[in-house]
Amino acid sequence: MPSDRSELLLISHPMCPYVQRAAIALAEKKLPFQRRDIDLAVKPAWFLALSPLGKTPVLQVGDDVVFESAVILEYLEETTGPALHPKGALQRARHRGWIEIGSAILNDIGRLYSAPDEAAFKTRAGVLVGHFRQIEAQLSEGPWFAGQSFSLVDAAFAPVFRYFDVFDQLGDFGILTGLPKVAAWRAALEARPSVKAAVSNDYPALLLAFLAKRQSHLGQLARVNA
């Protein structure tokens, strides 16, 4: 257990999906923490001294720091309850694998919103369609990834679906079409208090502004819809 729960500080960026994972896990474990946002375009020296890779999130625990979202999740899981991983070693390994798939999907979302033209955008969208079809085949009856228990896989995928809440304002791209279990999971995550609290109320506007600045197909759509 952290030496002093009151000393937990989450160093973050307001739009970083990996920060959301950490914030969700902290909330699910009912750990009080403070949050300090930084500008990753102008990284302060004190932050670089804490984060060897210069990335968020960083969790400061008293005088110590834990960096990288996956490591932060595992640290919280090892030191605090309630458990957000399954008890069995094989199931825990499976969940860790799906968390990695969630990270791969976040990377593909980055490629989607960076696609320079419609043709490239459709290619990237097709990759995401394949991912979500795989997920549809894995999901149980819900409401969560593994059924009735909220897990770190759910925390990992909540930021994925939050992107689509904004993308849906720009067009119907068909990426999540015809996937009823994925749709139900997405809706359950959207309603979860820890997921709602993981970003500020202006997150959609911040993401739209971020997209509108990009010289990409989605950026053009964002500028048209501004």
Side-chain angles (χ1 to χ4, degrees), residues 108-179:
D108 283 325
I109 287 173
R111 296 183 183 102
L112 180 79
Y113 64 62
S114 299
D117 52 43
E118 186 174 7
F121 181 87
K122 288 182 176 178
T123 297
R124 296 301 183 189
V127 172
L128 286 166
V129 168
H131 284 311
F132 286 111
R133 286 178 178 170
Q134 288 179 320
I135 293 167
E136 178 77 9
Q138 291 292 322
L139 289 173
S140 67
E141 295 304 315
W144 311 116
F145 176 78
Q148 295 297 311
S149 298
F150 188 93
S151 72
L152 289 178
V153 180
D154 299 291
F157 271 87
V160 168
F161 293 118
R162 202 188 302 276
Y163 274 109
F164 286 92
D165 295 340
V166 174
F167 294 167
D168 286 351
Q169 299 178 38
L170 304 178
D172 181 5
F173 306 121
I175 295 171
L176 302 177
T177 300
L179 304 172

Side-chain angles (χ1 to χ4, degrees), residues 179-191:
L179 304 172
K181 290 182 179 179
V182 168
W185 188 28
R186 175 186 180 183
L189 287 170
E190 185 178 8

Side-chain angles (χ1 to χ4, degrees), residues 110 113-114 209-220 223:
Y113 64 62
S114 299
F210 168 80
L211 295 173
K213 293 177 181 178
R214 302 191 71 83
Q215 297 304 311
S216 66
H217 177 66
L218 202 57
Q220 181 180 4
R223 289 190 292 275

Side-chain angles (χ1 to χ4, degrees), residues 1 10 17 35 85 112 116 134 156 177 225:
M1 190 172 292
L10 182 65
R35 185 165 173 169
H85 262 330
L112 180 79
Q134 288 179 320
T177 300
N225 284 271

